[in-house]
Amino acid sequence: MVTSPHALASEAGARVLRDGGNALEACIATGAAIAVLYPHFCGLGGDAVWIVADPDGRRTCFLGIGQAARQLPARSGDEDGIPLRGPGSALTSACVVDSWGHAHAYSAQHWAGRQPFASLLNDAIGFAREGFPVTASQAFWLDFRKAEAAGWPGFANVFMPGGAAPEVGAIFRQPQLARTLERLAADGPRAFYEGALAQAIADGLRAAGSPLTAADLAATRTREEAPASLVYRGVELLAPPPPTQGVTTLAIMGILSHFDLGALEAGSADHLHLCVEAVKQAFLDRHGLADPDASEQQIDEILDPRRLAGRAQAIDIARAKDWPHVFRNGDTVFFGATDAEGRSVSVLQSTYFDWGSGVVVGDTGILWQNRGAAFSLDPGHPNVLAPGKRPFYTLNPGMGLRNGRPELIYGTQGADGQPQTLAMLLTRLIDFAEDPAQVLAGPRFLLGKTFSDSRDSLKLEADAGEAVFETLTERGHLLSPLPARSPIAGQAGIIRIKEDGILDGAHDPRGDGIAIAVNEDMSPAK
């Protein structure tokens, strides 16, 4: 099975599975396709974080995270902060293409992968060259940003051809990006970082005003590291380590493990209140997460059972904790796959904000990320901007193992909202035994400021029900209603592998995605 935010991307991965490919190969094809089909949320100028596990006991993370430029612009010290858009935000290299190459090599070494790398880009090249119908999601985010997008370097020529935003259903082509993908297919993924294509990318970045150089591209490499983990109700949850916020998701679940959620009603005021308050407690430890190369990371301390128990004890079941902390915006895509051997992959790709930095690099068709805006300029902050450093990272795809075998593959877009959404997904899956489609359709919350509401309120989808709104208000939550199944609540995906090998999966009804089953029986006997 494969799940992604776009039916055509899911089909690209499913085709690989039908051809005998494994889950990693399917995810490379899906990731390349979605980089074309969902340009507003991810692309070749972004990053990716992977969790990979199999029934033989392998479990690992691929951290495809670009690093800050080696030569950063001088700052006077009186700036308001790092720019959120434009070349001033294009401060980090892009590692997603290298992560595809790393996944391909791992596939060949450990999972008997045989699919040529070039073949896995075929669908993406076709979508870029021949075009695809514009989704409602792409049209929404282009319309939302159209005023500021007019000033982004090279953006309008690619994404608003003729000076107008394409309408939903219109065929959208990216011929420059198709040529770039064709060069990657011919020369391999490292062509993005070394050689003629890399030099063209570096030249385009320099012309736009980014400090990134060819040397920065050449230094960009995916890191393979062990995932962090925590056992919740018998399911071992895996999350990527720092600089991602994966340990924050695990901490939320560790706090919730001290409450008998199964005795409650899914989606009730009690269920939501406990999830929200667990998020608040876990986020208290998030400020120190940063690049482990630059500052020591206290993963064991954050996930210490005694610390989590103390966080749980600090929750007042009848009263909301005040929450003045700033919310980070960001968008991304989640996709995942599992193959006939139970080998499983969970991935997030991102250019950070919708449309990233807005900078289109020369004539490559590549839209570059604004992940540099995630750094701090406070010299005392663990996440302070520094040459060659990786920023704090919101991406945290997840996987759940039972008895050492992958059982749950899950993830969501949403930056700071990711751990919040995952708390709802996991409690509904594990505590309330709902199926993936039920889980994804259920109402969700977002705590803090968002692009649509600057108040530090608890955003809650309206289909939670009037009684839930009333009860949470009585407990001191400052509530702001969102429409039911709001795009602001993110797009998540889930695959569940049942004990008998039967697959159950879905993608979020808030978007354009779908899960496609290729082989429904994954029992060891098969």
Side-chain angles (χ1 to χ4, degrees), residues 293-497:
D293 293 347
S295 59
E296 185 177 358
Q297 298 297 289
Q298 308 294 333
I299 298 176
D300 291 341
E301 280 188 28
I302 292 173
L303 299 180
D304 184 281
R306 291 168 297 182
R307 187 185 192 91
L308 296 176
R311 294 293 191 202
Q313 290 170 4
I315 292 176
D316 185 342
I317 189 63
R319 193 71 190 167
K321 176 182 174 63
D322 290 338
W323 192 247
H325 297 277
V326 174
F327 183 95
R328 298 170 188 253
N329 289 314
D331 285 295
T332 176
V333 298
F334 165 77
F335 52 94
T338 188
D339 60 32
E341 305 299 324
R343 300 169 298 201
S344 300
V345 185
S346 182
V347 191
L348 283 169
Q349 287 185 178
S350 177
T351 46
Y352 198 27
F353 285 22
D354 56 279
W355 304 110
S357 67
V359 174
V360 174
V361 181
D363 62 357
T364 65
I366 299 169
L367 181 65
W368 210 261
Q369 65 183 353
N370 64 331
R371 186 62 65 170
F375 281 114
S376 170
L377 292 180
D378 179 355
H381 197 285
N383 191 43
V384 64
L385 175 65
K389 185 176 179 180
R390 294 175 298 166
F392 166 76
Y393 231 75
T394 53
L395 302 192
N396 71 123
M399 192 177 296
L401 312 181
R402 192 181 294 274
N403 300 322
R405 297 176 61 89
E407 180 181 84
L408 298 172
I409 302 161
Y410 54 88
T412 184
Q413 68 171 192
D416 283 4
Q418 288 185 31
Q420 305 182 46
T421 294
L422 294 182
M424 290 299 292
L425 301 188
L426 289 169
T427 54
R428 284 182 174 272
L429 281 167
I430 298 171
D431 292 282
F432 302 110
E434 293 183 338
D435 65 62
Q438 281 181 290
V439 169
L440 293 169
R444 301 207 283 260
F445 66 85
L446 283 174
L447 176 65
K449 298 179 175 70
T450 66
F451 72 85
S452 63
D453 188 338
S454 61
R455 294 177 299 163
D456 277 312
S457 59
L458 178 63
K459 283 72 174 172
L460 180 61
E461 291 182 304
D463 53 340
E466 185 177 341
V468 169
F469 272 82
E470 289 178 357
T471 301
L472 292 177
T473 299
E474 290 170 359
R475 294 183 187 182
H477 295 279
L478 175 61
L479 288 167
S480 298
L482 293 174
R485 300 185 182 180
S486 169
I488 298 170
Q491 295 186 38
I494 299 169
I495 296 175
R496 180 173 60 188
I497 308 167

Side-chain angles (χ1 to χ4, degrees), residues 202-292:
D203 290 345
L205 287 165
R206 183 181 66 251
S210 167
L212 291 165
T213 66
D216 292 317
L217 295 178
T220 303
R221 288 288 194 286
T222 300
R223 300 196 189 190
E224 188 170 332
E225 298 186 15
S229 67
L230 179 139
V231 177
Y232 182 80
R233 321 281 197 218
V235 179
E236 184 181 8
L237 305 178
L238 304 182
T244 84
Q245 64 176 342
V247 294
T248 302
T249 296
L250 298 182
I252 293 168
M253 302 312 296
I255 293 167
L256 289 172
S257 70
H258 292 273
F259 299 91
D260 185 10
L261 295 183
L264 306 176
E265 179 184 349
S268 65
D270 286 339
H271 175 207
L272 287 161
H273 176 81
L274 286 173
C275 286
V276 171
E277 296 306 299
V279 165
K280 292 176 181 178
Q281 292 293 330
F283 272 42
L284 294 174
D285 286 326
R286 202 179 65 142
H287 66 280
L289 296 178
D291 188 342

Side-chain angles (χ1 to χ4, degrees), residues 14-29:
R15 186 176 297 112
V16 172
L17 294 177
R18 291 191 198 101
D19 290 344
N22 61 45
L24 274 168
E25 294 167 328
C27 279
I28 295 169

